[in-house]
Amino acid sequence: MKNLKSMLPFLFLFLLYFGSTQAQNVDRVKSIVKELSSKKYHGRCYTHRGAEKAGKYIQSEFEKSGLQPVNEKWKQPFSFDLNQIIKVKLKIDGQKLIPGADYVVRRNSPGIKGNWDLTMIEAQHLKNPEKMASLIEKIDLENQFMVVDLDDLRKNREMYDSAAKILFGSAADKFILLQEDAIKDYVVYGRKKSEKVVINIRKQAFNKSAKKLELRLKTEFNNITTNNVMGMLQGKAEHDSIIIVCGHYDHLGEMGPKAFYPGADDNASSIAAMIELAHFLNAQKTKPEKSILFVGFSGEEAGLIGSKYFTENLPIADSRISYVINMDMIGFGKAGLQVWNGKNEPRLVKQLKTINNHGQLVDTLVIKENTPNSDHYYFTEHDIPAIFLSTGLAPSKHYHTVYDTFDNTNFGRMKEIIQLVAGLVNTDQKLSVKK
Protein backbone atom coordinates (compact mmCIF):
# COMPACT_ATOMS: atom_id res chain seq x y z
CA MET A 1 0.00 0.00 0.00
CA LYS A 2 1.36 3.41 -0.94
CA ASN A 3 1.41 6.15 1.62
CA LEU A 4 0.18 9.65 0.84
CA LYS A 5 3.70 11.08 0.68
CA SER A 6 4.60 8.77 -2.20
CA MET A 7 1.51 9.94 -4.06
CA LEU A 8 2.47 13.63 -4.11
CA PRO A 9 4.41 13.59 -7.40
CA PHE A 10 1.37 12.03 -9.04
CA LEU A 11 -0.87 14.68 -7.51
CA PHE A 12 1.33 17.50 -8.83
CA LEU A 13 1.13 16.08 -12.36
CA PHE A 14 -2.58 15.51 -11.97
CA LEU A 15 -3.26 19.07 -10.85
CA LEU A 16 -1.07 20.50 -13.59
CA TYR A 17 -2.88 18.48 -16.27
CA PHE A 18 -6.34 19.21 -14.94
CA GLY A 19 -5.61 22.94 -14.67
CA SER A 20 -4.36 23.07 -18.26
CA THR A 21 -7.65 21.77 -19.63
CA GLN A 22 -9.93 23.57 -17.24
CA ALA A 23 -11.21 26.43 -19.45
CA GLN A 24 -13.44 24.09 -21.43
CA ASN A 25 -14.45 22.21 -18.28
CA VAL A 26 -15.55 25.37 -16.47
CA ASP A 27 -17.72 26.22 -19.44
CA ARG A 28 -19.39 22.83 -19.15
CA VAL A 29 -19.92 23.28 -15.42
CA LYS A 30 -21.55 26.64 -16.00
CA SER A 31 -23.73 25.34 -18.83
CA ILE A 32 -25.08 22.56 -16.60
CA VAL A 33 -25.85 25.01 -13.78
CA LYS A 34 -27.55 27.32 -16.26
CA GLU A 35 -29.62 24.45 -17.64
CA LEU A 36 -30.73 23.03 -14.30
CA SER A 37 -31.62 26.46 -12.92
CA SER A 38 -33.75 27.36 -15.95
CA LYS A 39 -37.54 27.62 -15.93
CA LYS A 40 -38.01 24.39 -17.85
CA TYR A 41 -37.32 22.42 -14.64
CA HIS A 42 -39.82 24.42 -12.54
CA GLY A 43 -37.39 24.73 -9.63
CA ARG A 44 -36.64 20.96 -9.61
CA CYS A 45 -39.44 20.11 -7.21
CA TYR A 46 -42.58 18.07 -7.88
CA THR A 47 -45.12 20.35 -9.55
CA HIS A 48 -45.10 20.07 -13.35
CA ARG A 49 -42.74 17.06 -12.96
CA GLY A 50 -39.82 19.42 -12.37
CA ALA A 51 -37.70 16.98 -10.36
CA GLU A 52 -38.51 14.17 -12.78
CA LYS A 53 -37.29 16.25 -15.73
CA ALA A 54 -34.14 17.20 -13.85
CA GLY A 55 -33.48 13.56 -12.98
CA LYS A 56 -33.75 12.55 -16.63
CA TYR A 57 -31.34 15.30 -17.61
CA ILE A 58 -28.82 14.23 -14.96
CA GLN A 59 -29.06 10.61 -16.09
CA SER A 60 -28.35 11.65 -19.66
CA GLU A 61 -25.31 13.64 -18.50
CA PHE A 62 -24.11 10.67 -16.44
CA GLU A 63 -24.35 8.52 -19.57
CA LYS A 64 -22.47 11.09 -21.66
CA SER A 65 -19.69 11.16 -19.07
CA GLY A 66 -19.18 7.41 -19.41
CA LEU A 67 -20.78 6.28 -16.15
CA GLN A 68 -22.59 2.95 -16.06
CA PRO A 69 -25.88 1.97 -14.38
CA VAL A 70 -25.76 0.32 -10.97
CA ASN A 71 -27.14 -3.22 -11.05
CA GLU A 72 -28.59 -2.27 -14.47
CA LYS A 73 -30.46 0.66 -12.93
CA TRP A 74 -29.93 4.42 -13.17
CA LYS A 75 -32.69 5.33 -10.73
CA GLN A 76 -33.82 4.42 -7.25
CA PRO A 77 -37.48 5.40 -6.68
CA PHE A 78 -38.99 6.32 -3.32
CA SER A 79 -42.13 8.08 -2.08
CA PHE A 80 -43.22 10.53 0.60
CA ASP A 81 -46.15 12.81 1.44
CA LEU A 82 -45.92 16.51 0.64
CA ASN A 83 -48.17 19.56 0.65
CA GLN A 84 -47.59 21.68 -2.47
CA ILE A 85 -48.57 25.23 -3.42
CA ILE A 86 -50.39 24.95 -6.74
CA LYS A 87 -51.77 28.46 -7.22
CA VAL A 88 -51.62 31.63 -5.17
CA LYS A 89 -52.83 35.19 -5.62
CA LEU A 90 -52.59 37.78 -2.87
CA LYS A 91 -53.84 41.37 -2.74
CA ILE A 92 -53.55 43.87 0.12
CA ASP A 93 -56.08 46.72 -0.16
CA GLY A 94 -56.43 45.84 -3.82
CA GLN A 95 -52.67 45.92 -4.51
CA LYS A 96 -51.34 42.67 -5.98
CA LEU A 97 -48.19 41.29 -4.36
CA ILE A 98 -45.54 39.22 -6.15
CA PRO A 99 -45.02 35.66 -4.84
CA GLY A 100 -41.43 34.80 -3.97
CA ALA A 101 -40.33 38.44 -4.09
CA ASP A 102 -42.94 40.13 -1.85
CA TYR A 103 -44.24 37.14 0.05
CA VAL A 104 -44.04 33.41 0.65
CA VAL A 105 -46.89 31.16 1.77
CA ARG A 106 -45.62 28.62 4.27
CA ARG A 107 -45.66 25.22 2.58
CA ASN A 108 -47.87 23.48 5.15
CA SER A 109 -50.74 25.96 4.71
CA PRO A 110 -54.16 24.63 3.66
CA GLY A 111 -55.98 25.89 0.59
CA ILE A 112 -58.19 28.91 1.22
CA LYS A 113 -60.14 31.48 -0.77
CA GLY A 114 -61.80 34.70 0.32
CA ASN A 115 -61.50 38.22 1.73
CA TRP A 116 -60.55 39.13 5.29
CA ASP A 117 -59.93 42.08 7.56
CA LEU A 118 -56.43 42.70 8.95
CA THR A 119 -55.70 43.01 12.66
CA MET A 120 -52.28 44.37 13.61
CA ILE A 121 -50.87 42.80 16.76
CA GLU A 122 -49.11 45.66 18.53
CA ALA A 123 -46.19 45.54 20.94
CA GLN A 124 -48.55 46.39 23.82
CA HIS A 125 -50.34 43.08 23.27
CA LEU A 126 -47.13 41.07 22.93
CA LYS A 127 -45.74 42.54 26.15
CA ASN A 128 -48.87 41.75 28.14
CA PRO A 129 -50.40 38.25 28.09
CA GLU A 130 -53.63 39.53 29.63
CA LYS A 131 -54.08 42.14 26.89
CA MET A 132 -53.35 39.50 24.28
CA ALA A 133 -55.95 37.14 25.70
CA SER A 134 -58.48 39.99 25.87
CA LEU A 135 -57.82 41.00 22.24
CA ILE A 136 -58.29 37.45 20.97
CA GLU A 137 -61.51 37.12 22.91
CA LYS A 138 -62.95 40.33 21.43
CA ILE A 139 -62.20 39.96 17.73
CA ASP A 140 -63.91 37.76 15.13
CA LEU A 141 -61.08 35.35 14.39
CA GLU A 142 -62.87 33.70 11.46
CA ASN A 143 -62.86 36.95 9.50
CA GLN A 144 -59.40 38.19 10.47
CA PHE A 145 -55.79 37.78 9.38
CA MET A 146 -53.55 38.49 12.37
CA VAL A 147 -50.52 40.62 11.41
CA VAL A 148 -47.31 40.27 13.47
CA ASP A 149 -43.98 42.08 13.10
CA LEU A 150 -41.69 39.04 12.94
CA ASP A 151 -38.49 41.06 13.33
CA ASP A 152 -39.83 42.64 16.53
CA LEU A 153 -41.00 39.25 17.77
CA ARG A 154 -37.56 37.73 17.25
CA LYS A 155 -35.80 40.70 18.83
CA ASN A 156 -37.95 40.55 21.95
CA ARG A 157 -38.55 36.82 22.00
CA GLU A 158 -38.04 36.43 25.72
CA MET A 159 -40.26 39.38 26.63
CA TYR A 160 -43.01 38.38 24.21
CA ASP A 161 -42.89 34.63 24.82
CA SER A 162 -45.96 34.21 27.02
CA ALA A 163 -48.24 36.41 24.92
CA ALA A 164 -46.96 34.91 21.66
CA LYS A 165 -47.83 31.44 22.91
CA ILE A 166 -51.36 32.64 23.66
CA LEU A 167 -51.66 34.14 20.17
CA PHE A 168 -50.31 31.24 18.13
CA GLY A 169 -51.97 28.65 20.36
CA SER A 170 -55.39 30.25 20.03
CA ALA A 171 -58.16 29.51 17.55
CA ALA A 172 -56.66 32.12 15.22
CA ASP A 173 -55.75 30.28 12.04
CA LYS A 174 -54.60 32.99 9.60
CA PHE A 175 -51.37 34.92 10.11
CA ILE A 176 -49.17 37.43 8.30
CA LEU A 177 -45.57 37.68 9.52
CA LEU A 178 -43.78 40.87 8.45
CA GLN A 179 -40.01 40.88 7.94
CA GLU A 180 -37.36 43.22 6.56
CA ASP A 181 -35.08 40.73 4.81
CA ALA A 182 -35.72 38.68 1.69
CA ILE A 183 -38.00 35.78 2.56
CA LYS A 184 -36.61 32.28 2.51
CA ASP A 185 -38.79 29.34 1.59
CA TYR A 186 -38.61 25.79 2.96
CA VAL A 187 -40.18 22.74 1.32
CA VAL A 188 -39.73 20.74 4.52
CA TYR A 189 -42.67 22.60 6.11
CA GLY A 190 -44.89 20.80 3.61
CA ARG A 191 -44.24 17.35 5.06
CA LYS A 192 -47.28 17.84 7.27
CA LYS A 193 -50.38 19.84 6.46
CA SER A 194 -51.38 22.48 8.98
CA GLU A 195 -54.78 23.97 9.76
CA LYS A 196 -53.23 27.44 9.90
CA VAL A 197 -52.39 29.69 6.96
CA VAL A 198 -49.10 31.54 7.44
CA ILE A 199 -47.80 34.14 4.97
CA ASN A 200 -44.44 35.86 5.34
CA ILE A 201 -44.47 39.31 3.72
CA ARG A 202 -41.63 41.78 3.25
CA LYS A 203 -42.25 45.04 5.06
CA GLN A 204 -41.48 47.02 1.91
CA ALA A 205 -44.53 45.43 0.27
CA PHE A 206 -46.94 45.98 3.17
CA ASN A 207 -48.55 49.15 4.48
CA LYS A 208 -49.21 48.77 8.21
CA SER A 209 -52.35 50.85 7.83
CA ALA A 210 -53.78 48.30 5.37
CA LYS A 211 -57.29 47.05 6.16
CA LYS A 212 -58.21 44.29 3.70
CA LEU A 213 -56.68 41.13 2.31
CA GLU A 214 -57.79 39.00 -0.64
CA LEU A 215 -56.27 35.54 -1.01
CA ARG A 216 -56.73 32.73 -3.51
CA LEU A 217 -54.63 29.77 -2.40
CA LYS A 218 -54.78 26.27 -3.87
CA THR A 219 -52.71 23.50 -2.28
CA GLU A 220 -52.52 19.74 -2.76
CA PHE A 221 -51.34 17.19 -0.23
CA ASN A 222 -50.19 14.13 -2.17
CA ASN A 223 -47.91 11.14 -2.05
CA ILE A 224 -44.93 12.02 -4.23
CA THR A 225 -42.76 9.50 -6.06
CA THR A 226 -39.33 10.67 -7.10
CA ASN A 227 -35.89 9.17 -7.82
CA ASN A 228 -32.31 9.15 -6.69
CA VAL A 229 -30.14 9.07 -9.84
CA MET A 230 -26.91 7.07 -9.80
CA GLY A 231 -24.06 5.96 -12.03
CA MET A 232 -20.86 3.97 -11.50
CA LEU A 233 -17.29 4.58 -12.63
CA GLN A 234 -15.47 1.27 -12.46
CA GLY A 235 -12.07 1.41 -10.79
CA LYS A 236 -9.07 -0.83 -11.39
CA ALA A 237 -10.14 -3.50 -8.92
CA GLU A 238 -13.79 -4.52 -9.23
CA HIS A 239 -13.80 -6.24 -5.85
CA ASP A 240 -12.23 -3.29 -4.04
CA SER A 241 -13.74 -0.42 -2.12
CA ILE A 242 -16.19 2.09 -3.54
CA ILE A 243 -16.16 5.84 -2.95
CA ILE A 244 -19.51 7.63 -3.10
CA VAL A 245 -19.62 11.17 -4.49
CA CYS A 246 -23.05 12.70 -4.04
CA GLY A 247 -25.23 15.79 -3.82
CA HIS A 248 -28.91 16.61 -4.08
CA TYR A 249 -30.51 17.87 -7.28
CA ASP A 250 -33.97 18.81 -5.98
CA HIS A 251 -34.82 22.37 -4.97
CA LEU A 252 -37.84 24.41 -3.86
CA GLY A 253 -39.96 24.30 -6.99
CA GLU A 254 -42.57 27.00 -7.42
CA MET A 255 -44.73 29.38 -5.41
CA GLY A 256 -47.64 29.00 -7.81
CA PRO A 257 -47.15 29.37 -11.58
CA LYS A 258 -45.82 32.93 -11.35
CA ALA A 259 -42.67 32.31 -9.31
CA PHE A 260 -40.03 29.59 -9.38
CA TYR A 261 -36.85 28.97 -7.40
CA PRO A 262 -33.85 28.44 -9.74
CA GLY A 263 -31.52 26.86 -7.14
CA ALA A 264 -28.30 27.62 -9.02
CA ASP A 265 -25.99 27.42 -6.01
CA ASP A 266 -28.39 25.14 -4.12
CA ASN A 267 -27.62 22.71 -5.58
CA ALA A 268 -27.15 22.79 -9.34
CA SER A 269 -23.56 23.83 -8.58
CA SER A 270 -22.71 20.48 -6.97
CA ILE A 271 -24.51 18.40 -9.59
CA ALA A 272 -22.51 20.19 -12.30
CA ALA A 273 -19.30 19.53 -10.36
CA MET A 274 -20.17 15.82 -10.05
CA ILE A 275 -20.83 15.50 -13.78
CA GLU A 276 -17.59 17.32 -14.62
CA LEU A 277 -15.69 15.09 -12.21
CA ALA A 278 -17.16 12.00 -13.90
CA HIS A 279 -16.08 13.31 -17.33
CA PHE A 280 -12.57 13.97 -16.10
CA LEU A 281 -12.05 10.68 -14.30
CA ASN A 282 -13.34 8.69 -17.27
CA ALA A 283 -10.97 10.57 -19.58
CA GLN A 284 -7.90 9.63 -17.52
CA LYS A 285 -5.59 7.06 -19.04
CA THR A 286 -5.34 5.40 -15.63
CA LYS A 287 -8.57 4.72 -13.77
CA PRO A 288 -8.81 5.37 -10.03
CA GLU A 289 -7.94 2.45 -7.80
CA LYS A 290 -11.42 2.45 -6.32
CA SER A 291 -14.74 2.47 -8.13
CA ILE A 292 -16.75 5.65 -7.67
CA LEU A 293 -20.51 5.72 -7.29
CA PHE A 294 -22.07 9.07 -8.22
CA VAL A 295 -25.49 9.77 -6.71
CA GLY A 296 -27.86 12.69 -7.22
CA PHE A 297 -30.39 12.70 -4.40
CA SER A 298 -33.96 13.91 -4.56
CA GLY A 299 -36.03 14.80 -1.50
CA GLU A 300 -33.23 16.64 0.30
CA GLU A 301 -35.19 19.86 0.69
CA ALA A 302 -38.07 17.90 2.21
CA GLY A 303 -35.81 16.60 4.97
CA LEU A 304 -32.95 14.46 3.57
CA ILE A 305 -35.50 11.86 2.48
CA GLY A 306 -33.63 10.59 -0.57
CA SER A 307 -30.34 10.00 1.20
CA LYS A 308 -32.10 8.40 4.15
CA TYR A 309 -33.85 5.99 1.81
CA PHE A 310 -30.60 5.30 -0.04
CA THR A 311 -28.68 4.42 3.12
CA GLU A 312 -31.49 2.09 4.19
CA ASN A 313 -31.64 0.45 0.73
CA LEU A 314 -28.06 0.49 -0.50
CA PRO A 315 -27.54 -0.83 -4.04
CA ILE A 316 -24.10 -2.06 -2.96
CA ALA A 317 -22.86 -3.81 0.18
CA ASP A 318 -22.04 -1.27 2.88
CA SER A 319 -18.81 -3.16 3.56
CA ARG A 320 -17.56 -1.96 0.16
CA ILE A 321 -18.08 1.73 0.90
CA SER A 322 -14.76 3.36 1.71
CA TYR A 323 -16.09 6.86 2.34
CA VAL A 324 -18.59 9.44 1.11
CA ILE A 325 -18.00 12.93 -0.27
CA ASN A 326 -21.21 14.95 -0.29
CA MET A 327 -21.32 18.38 -1.95
CA ASP A 328 -24.00 20.97 -1.31
CA MET A 329 -23.78 24.63 -2.41
CA ILE A 330 -20.25 25.08 -3.76
CA GLY A 331 -20.80 28.11 -6.00
CA PHE A 332 -19.04 30.75 -3.85
CA GLY A 333 -15.60 29.42 -2.98
CA LYS A 334 -13.57 32.63 -2.72
CA ALA A 335 -13.96 32.65 1.07
CA GLY A 336 -12.88 29.02 1.46
CA LEU A 337 -14.47 25.61 1.79
CA GLN A 338 -16.29 24.12 4.77
CA VAL A 339 -15.75 20.44 5.60
CA TRP A 340 -18.71 19.31 7.70
CA ASN A 341 -18.18 16.25 9.88
CA GLY A 342 -14.48 16.80 9.29
CA LYS A 343 -13.87 16.78 13.05
CA ASN A 344 -14.96 13.14 13.08
CA GLU A 345 -12.94 12.14 10.00
CA PRO A 346 -9.34 13.24 10.69
CA ARG A 347 -7.82 10.91 8.10
CA LEU A 348 -9.97 12.27 5.30
CA VAL A 349 -9.28 15.81 6.45
CA LYS A 350 -5.54 15.13 6.53
CA GLN A 351 -5.66 13.98 2.92
CA LEU A 352 -7.71 17.00 1.88
CA LYS A 353 -5.31 19.40 3.60
CA THR A 354 -2.27 17.78 2.00
CA ILE A 355 -3.76 17.95 -1.48
CA ASN A 356 -5.01 21.49 -0.92
CA ASN A 357 -1.72 22.78 0.49
CA HIS A 358 0.39 21.40 -2.33
CA GLY A 359 -2.06 22.39 -5.03
CA GLN A 360 -2.89 25.80 -3.48
CA LEU A 361 -6.51 25.23 -4.43
CA VAL A 362 -8.79 26.97 -1.89
CA ASP A 363 -7.71 29.60 0.61
CA THR A 364 -9.01 27.86 3.70
CA LEU A 365 -10.53 24.56 4.75
CA VAL A 366 -12.89 25.16 7.67
CA ILE A 367 -13.30 21.93 9.60
CA LYS A 368 -16.77 21.59 11.10
CA GLU A 369 -18.76 19.27 13.37
CA ASN A 370 -21.45 16.84 12.20
CA THR A 371 -25.01 18.12 11.88
CA PRO A 372 -28.05 16.86 9.92
CA ASN A 373 -27.77 19.72 7.41
CA SER A 374 -27.17 17.74 4.20
CA ASP A 375 -27.10 14.30 2.62
CA HIS A 376 -23.90 13.10 4.28
CA TYR A 377 -25.74 12.79 7.58
CA TYR A 378 -27.52 9.46 7.20
CA PHE A 379 -24.30 7.80 6.06
CA THR A 380 -22.74 8.84 9.36
CA GLU A 381 -25.76 7.40 11.16
CA HIS A 382 -24.83 4.05 9.56
CA ASP A 383 -21.18 4.39 10.65
CA ILE A 384 -20.00 5.07 7.10
CA PRO A 385 -17.26 7.74 6.95
CA ALA A 386 -18.67 10.84 5.26
CA ILE A 387 -17.81 14.50 4.81
CA PHE A 388 -19.87 17.33 3.40
CA LEU A 389 -18.19 20.06 1.33
CA SER A 390 -19.82 23.48 1.01
CA THR A 391 -18.82 27.07 0.40
CA GLY A 392 -21.44 27.95 3.01
CA LEU A 393 -24.49 30.08 3.62
CA ALA A 394 -22.76 33.42 4.30
CA PRO A 395 -21.57 34.11 0.74
CA SER A 396 -24.72 32.59 -0.79
CA LYS A 397 -26.82 35.65 -0.07
CA HIS A 398 -29.81 34.45 -2.06
CA TYR A 399 -30.10 31.04 -0.38
CA HIS A 400 -33.65 29.65 -0.58
CA THR A 401 -34.99 32.69 -2.42
CA VAL A 402 -36.10 33.28 -6.00
CA TYR A 403 -32.81 35.14 -6.53
CA ASP A 404 -30.56 32.04 -6.34
CA THR A 405 -29.96 32.35 -10.07
CA PHE A 406 -27.19 31.51 -12.51
CA ASP A 407 -26.31 35.19 -12.88
CA ASN A 408 -26.07 35.63 -9.10
CA THR A 409 -23.61 32.74 -8.70
CA ASN A 410 -19.95 33.75 -8.99
CA PHE A 411 -18.47 30.23 -9.39
CA GLY A 412 -15.48 31.26 -7.28
CA ARG A 413 -12.94 28.42 -7.00
CA MET A 414 -15.29 25.91 -8.60
CA LYS A 415 -12.52 24.38 -10.71
CA GLU A 416 -10.28 24.17 -7.65
CA ILE A 417 -12.97 22.42 -5.61
CA ILE A 418 -13.41 19.87 -8.40
CA GLN A 419 -9.63 19.42 -8.48
CA LEU A 420 -9.59 18.89 -4.72
CA VAL A 421 -12.22 16.15 -4.90
CA ALA A 422 -10.53 14.59 -7.93
CA GLY A 423 -7.23 14.55 -6.08
CA LEU A 424 -8.83 12.83 -3.10
CA VAL A 425 -10.58 10.07 -5.05
CA ASN A 426 -7.47 9.50 -7.18
CA THR A 427 -5.37 8.50 -4.19
CA ASP A 428 -5.36 4.85 -3.14
CA GLN A 429 -5.06 5.51 0.59
CA LYS A 430 -7.24 2.90 2.30
CA LEU A 431 -9.62 4.16 4.94
CA SER A 432 -11.46 2.07 7.48
CA VAL A 433 -15.12 1.59 6.64
CA LYS A 434 -16.40 1.33 10.19
CA LYS A 435 -15.43 3.65 13.00
Side-chain angles (χ1 to χ4, degrees), residues 28-177:
R28 179 160 51 199
V29 167
K30 289 183 176 180
S31 71
I32 293 170
V33 173
K34 191 170 187 178
E35 172 72 15
L36 283 172
S37 60
S38 67
K39 289 183 179 180
K40 72 165 70 173
Y41 298 102
H42 301 278
R44 305 192 306 278
C45 205
Y46 312 106
T47 55
H48 304 288
R49 299 171 42 240
E52 180 183 342
K53 293 174 184 176
K56 288 181 179 179
Y57 171 78
I58 293 165
Q59 179 184 329
S60 72
E61 291 299 313
F62 278 1
E63 293 183 56
K64 289 178 187 176
S65 74
L67 298 183
Q68 300 298 316
V70 182
N71 302 327
E72 301 183 349
K73 294 179 180 179
W74 290 101
K75 296 178 180 177
Q76 182 189 55
F78 61 95
S79 300
F80 61 95
D81 293 335
L82 189 69
N83 194 52
Q84 299 184 92
I85 308 294
I86 306 302
K87 293 181 181 179
V88 61
K89 182 183 293 186
L90 174 64
K91 292 182 180 180
I92 303 292
D93 281 350
Q95 183 68 37
K96 186 176 180 181
L97 274 62
I98 303 171
D102 293 334
Y103 71 94
V104 164
V105 179
R106 190 167 292 183
R107 297 293 183 117
N108 58 355
S109 298
I112 193 171
K113 179 179 179 180
N115 297 272
W116 294 269
D117 295 329
L118 298 172
T119 296
M120 190 74 197
I121 304 300
E122 305 290 351
Q124 61 173 315
H125 301 113
L126 289 166
K127 291 178 181 177
N128 190 318
E130 292 182 1
K131 285 187 177 181
M132 178 65 74
S134 177
L135 174 68
I136 291 172
E137 187 177 342
K138 290 177 182 178
I139 63 177
D140 180 6
L141 295 177
E142 186 176 345
N143 294 310
Q144 300 288 326
F145 254 88
M146 314 295 275
V147 183
V148 180
D149 186 325
L150 183 60
D151 296 329
D152 185 44
L153 184 63
R154 288 170 172 166
K155 182 180 178 180
N156 298 285
R157 184 184 300 273
E158 196 170 311
M159 183 190 304
Y160 293 169
D161 184 63
S162 296
K165 286 179 179 177
I166 292 173
L167 172 63
F168 294 113
S170 72
D173 59 1
K174 296 174 287 293
F175 294 92
I176 289 174
L177 304 179

Side-chain angles (χ1 to χ4, degrees), residues 310-328:
F310 184 86
T311 57
E312 293 171 350
N313 300 272
L314 288 169
I316 56 174
D318 63 352
S319 60
R320 295 187 66 193
I321 301 174
S322 180
Y323 58 86
V324 177
I325 306 170
N326 175 54
M327 294 183 286
D328 195 346

Side-chain angles (χ1 to χ4, degrees), residues 274-420:
M274 285 171 52
I275 293 169
E276 184 54 47
L277 181 64
H279 274 282
F280 173 73
L281 294 175
N282 262 319
Q284 289 183 154
K285 292 182 180 179
T286 303
K287 298 295 183 185
E289 289 291 329
K290 302 174 183 179
S291 295
I292 302 172
L293 174 57
F294 292 82
V295 187
F297 292 118
S298 188
E300 192 270 355
E301 299 290 3
L304 312 181
I305 300 173
S307 54
K308 183 177 187 294
Y309 183 86
F310 184 86
T311 57
E312 293 171 350
N313 300 272
L314 288 169
I316 56 174
D318 63 352
S319 60
R320 295 187 66 193
I321 301 174
S322 180
Y323 58 86
V324 177
I325 306 170
N326 175 54
M327 294 183 286
D328 195 346
M329 299 174 59
I330 59 170
F332 294 88
K334 292 181 180 179
L337 186 66
Q338 297 173 355
V339 185
W340 290 87
N341 198 43
K343 290 184 177 181
N344 295 320
E345 298 298 343
R347 286 169 292 180
L348 275 173
V349 168
K350 183 178 180 180
Q351 284 185 284
L352 280 175
K353 285 182 175 179
T354 301
I355 296 166
N356 188 56
N357 290 340
H358 284 86
Q360 296 182 337
L361 299 174
V362 297
D363 289 346
T364 57
L365 290 174
V366 182
I367 312 307
K368 310 282 281 186
E369 66 280 0
N370 190 25
T371 59
N373 55 355
S374 193
D375 288 309
H376 71 290
Y377 180 72
Y378 281 107
F379 289 98
T380 68
E381 288 289 280
H382 288 265
D383 292 327
I384 297 171
I387 55 174
F388 156 35
L389 305 181
S390 177
T391 55
L393 291 176
S396 190
K397 296 179 181 178
H398 304 299
Y399 166 74
H400 274 219
T401 74
V402 293
Y403 306 110
D404 181 9
T405 64
F406 174 81
D407 290 336
N408 283 336
T409 304
N410 68 25
F411 297 95
R413 300 298 178 91
M414 277 282 285
K415 71 174 183 180
E416 289 84 358
I417 293 169
I418 296 171
Q419 287 176 329
L420 182 62

